[in-house]
Amino acid sequence: MPPDNSHDDKILRVRVTAKDADTLRALLRDERPDVGGRPRTHADGSVGIDAYVPARKAEALEQPGVTVKVVGDATATGKARQTEVGEGDRFADPSAVPRGLGDKVEE
Amino acid sequence: MPAHTNSNARYLNTTEVDSALVRLAGAYPQLSRLVALPEPSVEGVTCHALEIGSTPDGGKDCVVLTGGVHAREWGSCEVLVLLAADLLEAYRRGTGLAYGGTRFDAAQVRALLDGLSVVVFPLVNPDGRHYSQTADPMWRKNRNRAHASGGPACVGVDINRNFDFLFDFTTAFAPNAGPRVSDDPCDYQTYQGPHPFSEPETRNVRWLLDTYAGTRWFVDVHSYSEDMLYIWGDDENQSADPDQNFRNPHYDGKRGLPHDTAYAEYIPESDADTALELAQEFCAGLHGVRGGTYTPMSGFHLYPTCGTSDDYAYSRHIVDGSKSKVLAFTIEWGKEDPNSDAASFHPPWAEMQRIVKDVDAGLVRFCLAALKT
């Protein structure tokens, strides 16, 4: 099934946990959710990964051997972060030069 | 001495990423050269890179650092812009550099810019970044409408699937491998495009590798999973059987499965060792800042891929013996923590600044180690 993440939908961040690596691999191959990070194996052998899916698709990821936990509203989080993006051009003044975040250590 | 600006209050918008490079080139004319990429983006934005080093390229070993390929991974641009700013200021002032507990003395800073050309191309995909920062924050692709025939999801190409490496994935991979790529133009995230290098953004990266013929290392900055990935991404690495390689059609239909004996991608042992060593150096430099732990591993262990920048960069010398060998890496910065919304493609800017310090410390140590190889 191809992904169907129309950008008009709210995208949820969900934590997908499969009973084992083969189950997760099959889910990713067949459902093709957008993912972040990489599969992480837990002590009990289960394997989890972040996925980003429209709300209406989140339930479809639930299958035998697979649990889906909603972590948050990724679209809302991203919209909130958009308020942390600069406006205009902070370097418009030719004398404005970027500085890095490292400390310059005199020796 | 330039009038430095305490300008790190927010994420950079698309205009500011480019103007930051222009200002750095203007402030450090003896140490940097502004490079105009030959092709504007799909929506007409002219892109720049910045070559830094105490002398112009002139045959020195070169490291090419790219970022902003995936639109939503905003902080990748800041990682590279602020790294360039740090190196330039420290070199000119004759200081060391400190990122938390990771410190480099003035001699190391000098050795880096005397010995290397460092080419930073922080925003490969300006149209996508602008769209992600102003409309759909989860947008990943470029904004090419030429291949669209349906809804808004049918816009754009995943630049990091558009390079020429196992592009015909339906032939190259095992049917059940499930590489993270799509030939469906309406795939929201991973549409590969109609053919390799169909996108101007991808061709600009290729142009950098062609132009800086002394390039020996390539690092593409992405998010997220706290990994330092090295080639290959299509299958497990092996150094025993040169016949098992991406050019050999005998292995079509067998690639991309973990833990099998049918196929693994060949890499000479010396290259595998050096790639691992450099990835470990990056992780050690990063760890020293505030204790972060990134994992060095081959890209396949993230998930099977094709058409990616790192595999293409390394494959070039195999496909064309006249090209230099480029050891290639992908950084995946940022935490994966299901209990925190700070762990995402767009961390709060306060956290992103800490990540920038982590990754920049890792990159400085990576470059210093590369100089010795």
Side-chain angles (χ1 to χ4, degrees), chain A residues 83-100:
Chain A
T83 66
E84 297 192 67
V85 176
E87 296 177 352
D89 183 358
R90 74 192 77 174
F91 305 114
D93 183 334
S95 69
V97 178
R99 288 195 81 187

Side-chain angles (χ1 to χ4, degrees), chain B residues 28-272:
Chain B
Y28 299 98
Q30 305 302 320
L31 295 173
S32 66
R33 290 148 290 278
L34 192 65
V35 179
L37 275 298
E39 296 200 49
S41 69
V42 167
E43 294 184 340
V45 176
T46 298
C47 300
H48 290 97
L50 191 69
E51 181 207 343
I52 62 178
S54 59
T55 56
D57 175 29
K60 280 198 298 186
D61 286 342
C62 180
V63 55
V64 171
L65 309 173
T66 58
V69 168
H70 286 151
R72 64 189 177 188
E73 300 162 13
W74 299 348
S76 300
C77 301
E78 283 80 356
V79 162
L80 295 183
V81 168
L82 298 177
L83 172 68
D86 272 338
L87 290 173
L88 289 167
E89 184 184 351
Y91 186 99
R92 176 136 90 188
R93 290 177 53 190
T95 70
L97 263 177
Y99 300 94
T102 294
R103 291 173 170 261
F104 305 98
D105 62 29
Q108 289 175 299
V109 172
R110 182 163 296 276
L112 200 163
L113 291 195
D114 286 347
L116 277 182
S117 286
V118 181
V119 176
V120 296
F121 182 18
L123 183 48
V124 173
N125 176 14
D127 306 338
R129 180 179 179 89
H130 179 71
Y131 190 71
S132 177
Q133 291 187 328
T134 60
D136 178 1
M138 294 302 291
W139 194 256
R140 168 178 161 114
K141 299 179 287 185
N142 74 356
R143 293 295 299 164
N144 194 346
R145 297 173 183 274
H147 319 302
S149 57
C154 308
V155 172
V157 169
D158 183 344
I159 301 303
N160 205 32
R161 299 294 182 273
N162 191 236
F163 289 88
D164 191 6
F165 179 78
L166 293 177
F167 195 83
D168 181 7
F169 68 91
T170 57
T171 298
F173 284 82
N176 56 340
R180 305 290 308 158
V181 62
S182 174
D183 56 7
D184 176 3
C186 294
D187 188 289
Y188 180 59
Q189 301 294 0
T190 59
Y191 174 49
Q192 64 178 170
H195 55 81
F197 296 109
S198 61
E199 306 307 297
E201 295 87 352
T202 324
R203 294 194 295 270
N204 278 340
V205 176
R206 179 179 62 183
W207 180 86
L208 274 183
L209 293 170
D210 288 342
T211 300
Y212 289 91
T215 301
R216 291 184 58 200
W217 309 278
F218 172 86
V219 183
D220 196 11
V221 183
H222 285 260
S223 169
Y224 60 91
S225 65
E226 296 189 311
D227 294 316
M228 178 48 151
L229 309 175
Y230 52 88
I231 34 89
W232 296 99
D234 62 313
D235 208 311
E236 309 267 11
N237 287 355
Q238 57 87 16
S239 299
D241 183 0
D243 285 342
Q244 291 188 32
N245 70 77
F246 66 95
R247 301 179 75 191
N248 190 342
H250 178 71
Y251 293 99
D252 283 350
K254 297 178 179 176
R255 299 182 179 89
L257 296 175
H259 315 306
D260 69 334
T261 57
Y263 186 82
E265 192 65 46
Y266 177 74
I267 178 172
E269 190 169 1
S270 59
D271 287 354

